[in-house]
Amino acid sequence: MSDTMEIIADSNPSPNPEEDNKTVWKRCCGCGWTKVQATLMLSMVLFGTITSAQVVGALIAKSMALLADCASMGLDTISYACNLGAACHPEPDVRKRIRNNLISSGLSYVALTGISFYFLIGAIIALTSPDDDEDEDVNAYIVL
């Protein structure tokens, strides 16, 4: 059976999610990955790749809205990396693990709020003080 077929065949949720954090699921580059770690790594790589491509498009298009989306997606990528670090170094004490998860979520929320306000204030400034410079317009054809 190919690796792809193994992944598809094993995509049913486990009745005991705690076992997914302990059982080595796949081996890659000499390292054993649990299902949780593999899922977080895949999500982080995909979000990072999409975000990188989107940043290039946003800079070419000169789109503040697209850059704001890139910032939030970049924060998601960092959150996946933090969660992957936590999954690779699990805390044996359940209370500390829950505390760490809540701290991570809270920091992500605060950072996302800060990013949102930064771009909101930038948008308000851009709308209330129109420039006569036509070179800074958003190139809608590139965005589409």
Side-chain angles (χ1 to χ4, degrees), residues 6 34 36 50 108 115:
E6 288 177 27
T34 65
V36 171
I50 293 167
S108 178
I115 289 169

Side-chain angles (χ1 to χ4, degrees), residues 73-138:
M73 286 182 66
L75 181 63
D76 289 339
T77 304
I78 292 169
S79 295
Y80 284 127
C82 292
N83 290 330
L84 179 62
C88 290
H89 304 287
E91 178 65 44
D93 184 14
V94 175
R95 292 176 65 91
K96 287 183 180 178
R97 189 176 339 146
I98 292 171
R99 181 203 65 193
N100 292 345
N101 285 340
L102 290 173
I103 289 171
S104 174
S105 298
L107 290 175
S108 178
Y109 173 75
V110 168
L112 184 59
T113 303
I115 289 169
S116 298
F117 277 117
Y118 174 80
F119 281 101
L120 178 65
I121 291 169
I124 290 171
I125 290 170
L127 288 172
T128 58
S129 60
D131 293 332
D132 292 333
D133 189 12
E134 293 295 323
D135 291 336
E136 295 298 317
D137 285 344
V138 173

